[in-house]
Amino acid sequence: MQKATFAGGCFWCMVTPFEELPGIGGIVSGYSGGHVENPTYEEVKTGTTGHYEVVEITFDPQLFPYERLLELYWQQIDPTDDGGQFHDRGSQYRTAIFYHDEAQEKLALEAKEKVAASGKFQKPIVTEILPAQTFYPAEEYHQGYHKKNKDDYKADRAKSGRDEFIDQNWNGE
């Protein structure tokens, strides 16, 4: 099993696209990339800790290769927005791929170039490709939030604009 770490705005919305796929061993919502040890959600949401909201995915590359994870990741985000994602604004909601080794870095950079060359976006691709840093799991109530709080999750996702963006920019991928 290997790990993949993706920042794509609200971590609740980044769990559902990856779960229940063959080869996915688990998905944990959390924080990475900041300068505060063991940050809490209350601290991270202020945007002052430097952390991104991320999902850490454990996967079997034989069953679900990293390249497929990358393809799916790009289709969940607006890679041109450096101020957050959809209605979630602030540095904690920026997009990034945190690579765990040189092979992941190479594949992430190639995938970013492919998105940039696709002609789908008029603005530059600003999603960062960064070395993996310490991952801090989010509080338990954030884990599986979409299952524990179905109505709240659906309402938040509906008002975010994420699904409309995905339909407009990624359908047919």
Side-chain angles (χ1 to χ4, degrees):
M1 299 295 269
Q2 294 182 8
K3 296 214 182 287
T5 305
F6 299 132
C10 171
F11 49 34
W12 299 339
C13 291
M14 292 301 294
V15 171
T16 55
F18 297 99
E19 69 181 354
E20 298 178 16
L21 294 172
I24 303 300
I27 305 171
V28 179
S29 296
Y31 318 111
S32 192
H35 58 271
V36 173
E37 288 188 31
N38 298 308
T40 66
Y41 178 70
E42 294 302 317
E43 292 171 323
V44 171
K45 77 177 187 178
T46 67
T48 61
T49 69
H51 291 88
Y52 296 70
E53 283 196 11
V54 300
V55 288
E56 184 179 77
I57 302 168
T58 304
F59 68 102
D60 180 340
Q62 300 300 315
L63 296 175
F64 207 93
Y66 188 68
E67 295 90 334
R68 286 186 55 204
L69 285 172
L70 288 169
E71 287 173 19
L72 190 53
Y73 166 75
W74 288 107
Q75 294 174 26
Q76 308 310 310
I77 65 167
D78 175 353
T80 68
D81 187 348
D82 64 0
Q85 286 291 283
F86 313 106
H87 76 152
D88 292 313
R89 310 311 302 159
S91 61
Q92 67 275 28
Y93 298 115
R94 293 170 295 158
T95 60
I97 298 169
F98 289 90
Y99 59 86
H100 291 264
D101 58 32
E102 287 181 16
Q104 284 188 358
E105 178 186 22
K106 179 179 183 287
L107 291 169
L109 289 167
E110 288 172 359
K112 181 176 179 176
E113 289 173 17
K114 183 178 175 184
V115 170
S118 72
K120 286 185 178 294
F121 303 101
Q122 302 304 309
K123 296 190 251 175
I125 304 304
V126 297
T127 299
E128 296 180 279
I129 311 297
L130 302 168
Q133 298 180 31
T134 303
F135 172 80
Y136 298 100
E139 294 80 354
E140 182 55 36
Y141 70 92
H142 289 295
Q143 308 304 330
Y145 185 87
H146 63 291
K147 292 179 180 175
K148 296 175 191 172
N149 302 283
K150 289 179 184 175
D151 293 339
D152 289 343
Y153 170 74
K154 286 180 184 177
D156 187 64
R157 185 163 177 130
K159 73 179 180 184
S160 76
R162 184 182 293 264
D163 291 330
E164 291 83 357
F165 181 88
I166 291 169
D167 286 344
Q168 267 186 331
N169 294 278
W170 293 110
N171 264 351
E173 289 294 307

